[in-house]
Amino acid sequence: MCVNYLCPHPDQLPLFGVEAGELVWQEEAWQDYAAPFVVAGRQGLELRLGNYGLVPKRHQPDGMRLSTTNARSETVAELKNFRYPWRAGQRCLVPMRAFFEPSYETGRAVRWRIGLADDAPFAVAGLWRAWSEPDGSISHAFTQLTVNAEAHALMCRTHKPEDEKRSLVIVRPEDYQAWLTARRPDDAHRLLRLFPAEEMRAEDAPLAPREGAIKPTPQLLPRTLGLFD
């Protein structure tokens, strides 16, 4: 599933009800990168910077390399790494401009950039947790929720033919509060659904060199595939 996505520009964060402040992050997020996420705080919505991957590499047993960037909605309540934040209602929104998935329709892996049809930033359903660090500080980490996408017109075209098709859960703005404040797991589960394919777009996006700290300037879009144009 998704292990790489484009973070929002700081000037796009008011769309999610928060401000960047002095937080700085990379243009693209990969596992164990610091990236922004949104939670419901006591005084309203809060922006936090956290590790992309609910169990950071530094907190994993020696010799183990867990991938916790994604949590399956079907098993999130049972798996050791995810069940506590799920049951505790530690839900978050992961703002982004697009995410990347491979397609094998040509017989080889082609990297696709996937986002909304109007190229607007959007938020993905996630979970977060806190970690105690050796120096006494507290850090944060997050993961993204996924659902089965075998019947989705766009997401069924990603990954190898034999692989299960999955999709991140894009949350509509009118559901932000419901997702963030859902206390009962059943209420949260009802929001884990596929986003309509006709409101999404995929673009051919070869992997580019990773850049430095994010700058609030527009990026040129790669060639569109015209899947739903």
Side-chain angles (χ1 to χ4, degrees):
M1 231 351 269
C2 177
V3 296
N4 172 218
Y5 67 91
L6 286 176
C7 294
H9 294 301
D11 59 6
Q12 294 174 322
L13 288 175
L15 294 172
F16 307 99
V18 293
E19 298 284 347
E22 297 181 356
L23 298 180
V24 178
W25 52 87
Q26 299 291 100
E27 175 81 12
E28 294 191 23
W30 298 80
Q31 183 169 346
D32 288 317
Y33 276 40
F37 66 97
V38 179
V39 300
R42 294 182 178 179
Q43 304 299 321
L45 299 184
E46 297 178 2
L47 183 71
R48 296 180 180 176
L49 201 62
N51 185 85
Y52 179 31
L54 201 62
V55 184
K57 181 179 180 181
R58 63 185 177 278
H59 288 286
Q60 296 182 16
D62 291 340
M64 184 175 291
R65 185 58 168 153
L66 296 173
S67 177
T68 55
T69 56
N70 298 273
R72 295 169 60 91
S73 61
E74 298 89 344
T75 58
V76 66
E78 286 79 41
L79 293 185
K80 176 181 177 181
N81 291 321
F82 306 117
R83 64 191 180 200
Y84 177 78
W86 172 257
R87 295 173 184 176
Q90 293 177 194
R91 312 188 208 290
C92 67
L93 293 169
V94 184
M96 61 182 69
R97 290 180 288 132
F99 59 94
F100 299 95
E101 299 286 6
S103 172
Y104 284 79
E105 292 183 336
T106 64
R108 60 180 181 83
V110 175
R111 186 175 185 252
W112 281 2
R113 167 181 167 152
I114 300 172
L116 300 190
D118 61 2
D119 202 43
F122 56 93
V124 165
L127 300 174
W128 70 275
R129 64 159 293 176
W131 288 93
S132 297
E133 300 297 343
D135 63 1
S137 65
I138 299 296
S139 67
H140 298 104
F142 67 93
T143 188
Q144 303 161 344
L145 274 297
T146 70
V147 291
N148 182 276
E150 299 288 346
H152 194 269
L154 172 57
M155 298 307 296
C156 74
R157 300 175 60 187
T158 63
H159 292 274
K160 295 179 180 179
E162 66 271 18
D163 290 346
E164 180 190 3
K165 310 307 177 184
R166 307 287 301 177
S167 177
L168 296 179
V169 178
I170 298 175
V171 182
R172 292 190 181 278
E174 58 266 29
D175 291 328
Y176 286 174
Q177 283 291 340
W179 169 253
L180 292 173
T181 60
R183 285 302 168 212
R184 296 174 49 193
D186 286 348
D187 292 337
H189 237 299
R190 281 192 281 271
L191 295 171
L192 298 179
R193 51 183 180 258
L194 290 167
F195 199 78
E198 61 271 17
E199 297 182 39
M200 299 171 67
R201 182 174 65 182
E203 301 168 324
D204 191 1
L207 188 63
R210 300 181 191 178
E211 300 178 358
I214 191 168
K215 298 178 181 179
T217 55
Q219 301 292 310
L220 294 177
L221 296 181
R223 177 179 63 84
T224 179
L225 292 175
L227 298 179
F228 298 101
D229 292 346

